[in-house]
């Protein structure tokens, strides 16, 4: 049951990890993943994802992929096999569709160090031949390989939605820095073991526990409270709690940003003994709890909110959130779930200062402590989405008839597999009234 049931659920989860590109014209942009890219020099400075094969019908990535941040002609990103775990952090410069630079390869159980490292001559990193490397050296703690010269040929690759995962900022991350345990651990973090690598406690984030099917749960463990070291996404089938499916692991840099994502998607047996203690204890805690259940209803219903002052309307899920008190200026409405894990706000404002949509867009991108993973602007609206702390954030702002109309949604990251589609429905419904 574990293999067949979990594989289907994980497929859905992985497909959903690219944040939706919601609403009208923005949704057309998402379809660009089916087109082969032109020159990378013409790409705007932002996060991008390319893959060597077009996206599958079920939304899964195919081939080899490159998730990167572009700034001028400089590029830093992860070059990887989706759902396998093999990856390199690439940094260099781009000329048309060729990247030259260096790379760091993190070694895994599925990708151990090769017997012979490339020296003076370029060698194919893998058999596909897109990436050629040379001048290799071994690094330790953790074990990695550094390639001091590379050529990455991205001709013929396809553009995908960049998704919520942030490219690394610096490939030469100090992976094992000394950090003590937090003096104050939030109540929702349950200690389940010790990391032998970081020598820090491993915590089960109880807010992340999500029921996928009968006896099948997704959850997250974290290492590092004040300064995050890593997060792991896992799935347990409580009919077989001595196994766990490790979906992915995210590693963080000194600035608290995601520096690397390792896609694993493998089932592993666990026991009370190290190094499996934390996963085993997390499984046992989840499967023995009687309070776990789905947070959202199986069928979502909607009501439409109308604002006559600023001439706009939007659907809200009336069996998930409740309208709050009307504001005295009647500019909009707040909506909130009973447990406070989902909030939604819509409001309008006259453009009395004559600001442009571009100015509001740039201002929204500068919000403190937010990790923007998708941004898009058109002639009369923009969309920003990403993360802020443990929340998913989403904003859509329109400028129509010199009036700004804004939709903002915030929800717990653990609800993302269930709630992303609801956000898409809400965004598509947000429109000015004729």
């Amino acid at each position: 049951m574990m293999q067949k049931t979990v594989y289907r659920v994980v497929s859905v989860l992985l497909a959903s990890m690219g944040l939706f590109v919601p609403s009208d014209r923005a949704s057309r942009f998402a379809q660009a993943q089916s087109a082969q890219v032109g020159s990378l020099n013409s790409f705007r400075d932002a996060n991008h994802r390319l893959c060597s094969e077009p996206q599958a019908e079920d939304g899964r990535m195919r081939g080899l992929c490159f998730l990167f941040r572009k700034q001028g002609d400089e590029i830093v990103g992860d070059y990887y096999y989706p759902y396998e775990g093999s990856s390199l952090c690439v940094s260099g410069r781009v000329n048309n569709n060729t990247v030259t630079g260096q790379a760091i390869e993190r070694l895994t159980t599925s990708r151990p160090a090769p017997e012979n490292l490339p020296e003076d001559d370029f060698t194919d990193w893998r058999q596909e031949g897109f990436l050629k490397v040379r001048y290799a050296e071994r690094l330790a703690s953790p074990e990695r390989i550094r390639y001091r010269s590379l050529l990455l040929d991205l001709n013929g690759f396809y553009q995908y939605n960049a998704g919520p995962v942030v490219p690394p900022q610096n490939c030469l991350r100090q992976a094992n820095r000394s950090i003590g345990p937090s003096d104050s651990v939030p109540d929702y973090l349950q200690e389940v073991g010790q990391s032998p690598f970081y020598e820090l406690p491993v915590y089960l984030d109880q807010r992340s526990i999500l029921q996928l099917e009968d006896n099948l749960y997704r959850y997250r463990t974290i290492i590092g409270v004040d300064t995050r070291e890593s997060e792991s996404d896992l799935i347990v089938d409580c009919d077989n709690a001595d196994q766990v499916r490790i979906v992915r692991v995210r590693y963080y840099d000194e600035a608290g940003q995601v520096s690397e994502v390792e896609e694993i998607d493998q089932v592993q047996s666990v026991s009370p003994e190290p190094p499996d203690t934390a996963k085993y204890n997390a499984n046992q805690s989840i499967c023995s709890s009687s309070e776990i259940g789905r947070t959202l209803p199986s069928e979502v219903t909607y009501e439409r909110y109308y604002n006559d002052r600023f001439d706009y309307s939007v659907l809200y899920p009336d069996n998930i959130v409740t309208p709050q008190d009307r504001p005295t200026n009647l500019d909009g409405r707040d909506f909130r779930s009973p447990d406070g894990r989902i909030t939604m706000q819509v409001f309008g404002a006259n453009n009395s200062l004559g600001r442009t949509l571009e100015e509001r867009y740039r201002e929204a991108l500068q919000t403190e402590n937010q990790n923007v993973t998708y941004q898009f602007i058109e002639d009369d609206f923009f969309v920003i989405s990403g993360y802020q702390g443990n929340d998913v954030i989403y904003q859509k702002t329109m400028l129509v008839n010199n009036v700004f109309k804004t939709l903002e949604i915030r929800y717990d990251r653990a609800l993302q597999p269930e709630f992303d589609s609801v956000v898409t429905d809400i965004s598509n419904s947000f429109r000015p009234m004729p």
Side-chain angles (χ1 to χ4, degrees), residues 275-292:
D276 303 329
T277 307
K279 299 183 188 71
Y280 177 85
N281 289 340
N283 281 3
Q284 297 302 313
S285 175
I286 291 169
C287 294
S288 63
S289 173
S290 60
E291 299 179 358
I292 296 175

Side-chain angles (χ1 to χ4, degrees), residues 83-87 105-114 126 142-144 246 249 251 260 262-268 275-276 279:
Y83 323 120
E84 177 187 310
S86 298
S87 66
E105 179 178 5
R106 183 183 180 90
L107 300 175
T108 66
T109 55
S110 62
R111 175 68 174 171
R126 295 289 280 266
E143 188 179 7
R144 294 163 294 167
I246 307 172
V249 180
Y251 301 94
E260 183 178 349
E262 183 179 2
E263 298 284 359
I264 300 176
D265 192 22
Q266 292 180 357
V267 175
Q268 171 186 313
D276 303 329
K279 299 183 188 71

Side-chain angles (χ1 to χ4, degrees), residues 245-345:
R245 180 174 288 275
I246 307 172
V247 180
R248 69 184 58 80
V249 180
R250 291 176 292 276
Y251 301 94
Y252 287 76
D253 61 18
E254 291 86 346
Q257 301 293 321
V258 176
S259 66
E260 183 178 349
V261 178
E262 183 179 2
E263 298 284 359
I264 300 176
D265 192 22
Q266 292 180 357
V267 175
Q268 171 186 313
S269 296
V270 293
S271 73
E273 303 301 322
D276 303 329
T277 307
K279 299 183 188 71
Y280 177 85
N281 289 340
N283 281 3
Q284 297 302 313
S285 175
I286 291 169
C287 294
S288 63
S289 173
S290 60
E291 299 179 358
I292 296 175
R294 294 183 65 88
T295 305
L296 303 183
S298 57
E299 182 176 348
V300 179
T301 60
Y302 295 91
E303 290 285 344
R304 183 168 288 278
Y305 164 74
Y306 295 90
N307 185 280
D308 294 327
R309 179 183 176 189
F310 290 111
D311 295 327
Y312 66 85
S313 70
V314 66
L315 292 176
Y316 67 92
D318 64 330
N319 58 345
I320 297 177
V321 297
T322 303
Q324 304 301 293
D325 294 339
R326 296 177 183 272
T328 54
N329 64 0
L330 302 178
D331 66 337
R333 202 71 181 266
D334 291 350
F335 305 83
R336 184 182 178 89
S337 65
D339 59 6
R341 299 173 72 190
I342 301 172
T343 60
M344 169 179 160
Q345 185 179 28

Side-chain angles (χ1 to χ4, degrees), residues 16-86:
S16 71
M17 284 305 291
L19 272 179
F20 43 81
V21 184
S23 111
D24 37 76
R25 279 166 285 183
S27 65
R28 294 201 301 270
F29 176 78
Q31 302 305 316
Q33 73 261 13
S34 61
Q36 290 180 310
V37 299
S39 171
L40 266 65
N41 292 107
S42 65
F43 279 33
R44 60 191 176 92
D45 291 347
N47 298 339
H48 303 276
R49 189 196 308 267
L50 308 177
C51 293
S52 59
E53 298 181 23
Q55 189 169 4
E57 291 184 0
D58 62 3
R60 290 169 64 91
M61 294 173 285
R62 300 195 305 171
L64 274 156
C65 295
F66 187 36
L67 173 66
F68 62 93
R69 176 184 289 107
K70 177 180 178 290
Q71 185 69 39
D73 65 349
E74 296 183 355
I75 279 181
V76 179
D78 279 323
Y79 181 73
Y80 63 100
Y81 280 87
Y83 323 120
E84 177 187 310
S86 298

